[in-house]
């Protein structure tokens, strides 16, 4: 018996959770549930996180969490429980299978069968945002080597365990050479360890277009957080419906399984489709090694869909046979336990689907050399040449101004008059002879800038790692 935490959530949550648990029990899942309360009631009792300290303890103790959707109240500074749970528990991988159920569920993509593996913790979701000037705000995009290694390795291990042939990586490394560049580099490094699996990389814009147009050309796709967030919804929708998809959030210690849709608070009672949460539960059973039960439930569910027993969202006059409520749909799946689909492809889960990754090994640090600094200024003038004349007065000894950019575009030297400028300027200082910079030189430079009346909003150190420049140039440089 494996103890798991469950939360029935809000809106349609309790109905779809009850339906899912009934199917799991009837199929012989060896689980014991411990229920916690999360969501709307907890938020409205004054807890802005939507979860109590005691509930965290239960989740951490049981390690496996099956969660129904919750309602996040509008306004009032309530934090998304999903984002908090993923980050606190280190659930670095979000897995979303998207398979079409044609002809039983209408779709333009009848042979689509893909799995999106999304990095779940970092990227622009680090939540580090600042307003720096009247006109400019920033959000830091953080990508780490351990973050990339874990998610990319997970994608290849997943492909291996589930008999998938190809892993595709989407990034925008033609623009974000450091951040997405690292993700792509790690992808290439790890792909080389799996010669039996085809690997490929697409720039995310054309990759997304291909995914929406010809999803059958993909198998497993791994992506940084933001692209994965957007494209996994696109993939679920074009497969047939977001209402059918489940997702797994996997960490080294804990894992959370859920439907990808929300709590649909306005839905009529006993009309919701429990399939998304049921798919999440099937992933959970695979994760905890109960693969036979997972297979039995998945095949019975496919059989139910193809026998035309449909909830309101899937029901079509002509192609469906019977329109049922949430509870009756669950009964139909239970009645089909042990049966296989005839038209839809049956699933075959071999034993031991749990994916064990090696612990991240930090490499020996590379030689790191400070070679300059970017000084960011809030400056209300509009003329880059005038700013350069003033900033050049900060030069001292071998420290010289080498470039000014505005929103990343080089405006000095040799800028274009046509370039639109805001009040957010980056002034790059290096040494004229290429010798290293020092922290003291940065402090002295800032002091001179402040004494001269400049408003310094931040600095960024410029480093070389192993002798290679590790920072972006100005666009146009
Ligand atoms: P939603 O996914 O709850 O509902 C959108 C529409 O999709 C519904 O009106 C309904 O027509 C359909 N739908 C959703 N699930 C269905 C199901 N199982 N069966 C049949 N039809 C289904 O999205 P929303 O209306 O934007 O959000 C409602 C609430 O859910 C909000 O408070 C939001 O914050 C929350 N939410 C929670 C989660 C989560 O807990 N994981 C995820 C998304 C949204």
């Amino acid at each position: 018996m494996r103890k798991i935490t469950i939360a029935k959530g809000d809106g349609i949550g309790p109905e779809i959770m009850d339906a899912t648990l009934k199917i799991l029990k009837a199929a012989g899942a060896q689980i014991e549930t411990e229920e916690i309360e999360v969501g709307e009631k907890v938020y409205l009792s004054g807890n802005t996180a939507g979860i109590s300290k005691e509930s965290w303890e239960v989740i951490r103790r049981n390690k496996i969490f099956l969660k129904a959707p919750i309602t996040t109240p509008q306004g009032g500074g309530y934090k998304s429980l999903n984002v908090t749970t993923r980050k606190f528990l280190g659930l670095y991988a979000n897995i979303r299978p998207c398979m079409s159920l044609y002809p039983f569920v209408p779709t333009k993509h009848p042979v689509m069968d893909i799995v999106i593996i999304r990095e779940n913790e970092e990227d622009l979701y680090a939540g580090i945002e600042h307003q720096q000037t009247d006109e400019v705000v920033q959000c830091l995009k953080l990508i780490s080597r351990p973050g990339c290694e874990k998610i990319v390795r997970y994608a290849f291990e997943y492909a291996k365990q589930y008999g998938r042939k190809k892993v595709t990586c989407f990034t925008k490394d033609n623009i974000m050479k450091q951040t997405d560049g690292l993700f792509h580099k790690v992808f290439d490094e790890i792909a080389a360890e799996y010669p039996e699996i085809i690997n490929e990389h697409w720039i995310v814009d054309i990759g997304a277009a291909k995914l929406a147009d010809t999803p059958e050309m993909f198998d497993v796709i791994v992506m940084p957080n933001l692209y994965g967030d957007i494209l996994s919804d696109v993939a679920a929708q074009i497969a047939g419906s977001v209402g059918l998809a489940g997702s797994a959030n996997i960490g080294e210690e804990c894992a959370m399984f859920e439907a990808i849709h929300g709590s649909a608070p306005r839905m009529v009672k006993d009309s919701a489709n429990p399939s998304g949460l049921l798919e999440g539960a099937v992933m959970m059973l695979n994760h905890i090694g109960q693969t036979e039960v997972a297979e039995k439930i998945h095949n019975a569910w496919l059989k139910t869909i193809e026998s035309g027993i449909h909830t309101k969202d899937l029901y079509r006059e002509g192609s469906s046979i019977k329109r049922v409520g949430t509870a009756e749909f669950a009964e139909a799946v239970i009645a089909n336990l042990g049966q296989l689909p005839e038209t839809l492809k049956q699933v075959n889960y071999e034993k031991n689907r749990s994916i064990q990754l090696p612990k991240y090994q930090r490499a020996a640090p590379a030689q790191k050399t400070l070679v300059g600094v970017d000084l960011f200024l809030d400056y209300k003038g509009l003329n880059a040449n005038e700013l350069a004349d003033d900033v050049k007065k900060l030069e001292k000894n071998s420290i010289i101004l080498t470039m000014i950019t505005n929103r990343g575009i080089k405006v000095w030297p040799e800028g274009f008059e046509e370039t639109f400028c805001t009040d957010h300027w980056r002034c790059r200082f290096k040494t004229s002879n290429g010798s290293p910079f020092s922290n003291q030189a940065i402090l002295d430079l800032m002091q001179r800038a402040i004494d001269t009346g400049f408003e310094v909003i931040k600095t960024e150190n410029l480093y070389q790692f192993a002798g290679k420049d590790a920072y972006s140039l100005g666009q146009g440089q």
Side-chain angles (χ1 to χ4, degrees), residues 319-364:
S319 58
S320 302
I321 305 290
K322 189 176 180 198
R323 181 168 152 174
V324 292
T326 313
E328 201 178 343
F329 183 80
E331 292 302 338
V333 175
I334 290 169
N336 284 330
L337 285 169
Q339 298 202 50
L340 299 174
E342 284 152 36
T343 310
L344 295 169
K345 201 170 134 210
Q346 68 184 71
V347 295
N348 179 9
Y349 295 139
E350 284 156 25
K351 288 204 173 26
N352 191 13
R353 292 282 172 161
S354 71
I355 294 172
Q356 302 295 337
L357 298 188
K359 275 253 173 264
Y360 171 72
Q361 299 286 331
R362 182 174 281 173

Side-chain angles (χ1 to χ4, degrees), residues 132-310:
Q132 296 177 323
T133 67
D134 288 305
E135 292 176 342
V136 176
V137 288
Q138 76 165 14
C139 174
L140 282 189
K141 175 169 164 122
L142 293 181
I143 300 279
S144 72
R145 176 168 270 277
C148 295
E149 282 194 15
K150 280 197 288 188
I151 194 70
V152 172
R153 198 174 286 287
Y154 191 94
F156 278 96
E157 279 298 317
Y158 183 97
K160 201 165 123 184
Q161 295 272 12
Y162 285 80
R164 300 253 169 189
K165 305 273 178 298
K166 182 165 82 170
V167 180
T168 304
C169 174
F170 284 180
T171 72
K172 188 83 185 169
D173 67 335
N174 54 332
I175 301 295
M176 285 160 277
K177 296 187 168 71
Q178 292 292 326
T179 48
D180 281 19
L182 176 62
F183 196 95
H184 187 175
K185 182 165 177 263
V186 170
F187 177 79
D188 287 344
E189 285 170 15
I190 291 177
E193 296 177 31
Y194 296 83
E196 71 284 12
I197 297 170
I198 301 164
N199 71 82
E200 62 177 15
H201 173 268
W202 288 84
I203 298 291
V204 62
D205 41 14
I206 185 63
K210 292 272 182 198
L211 172 67
D213 186 50
T214 42
E216 59 277 9
M217 65 184 281
F218 297 106
D219 195 344
V220 174
I221 314 179
V222 63
M223 310 181 222
N225 205 341
L226 178 63
Y227 314 141
D229 189 2
I230 298 167
L231 293 179
S232 55
D233 267 24
V234 171
Q237 184 65 33
I238 64 170
S241 159
V242 285
L244 288 173
S247 98
N249 297 274
I250 310 285
E252 280 171 23
E253 291 281 324
C254 299
M256 173 174 78
F257 301 85
E258 57 186 345
I260 72 167
H261 58 74
S263 58
R266 282 183 297 277
M267 271 194 95
V268 176
K269 239 188 149 7
D270 196 34
S271 65
N273 188 342
S275 299
L277 188 60
L278 185 63
E279 196 179 318
V282 166
M283 287 195 259
M284 176 188 79
L285 291 171
N286 271 324
H287 183 79
I288 60 177
Q290 298 187 24
T291 50
E292 275 174 32
V293 191
E295 186 177 306
K296 195 162 145 192
I297 294 174
H298 202 153
N299 282 325
W301 174 71
L302 290 169
K303 174 79 184 167
T304 310
I305 297 285
E306 71 173 29
S307 65
I309 298 175
H310 293 163

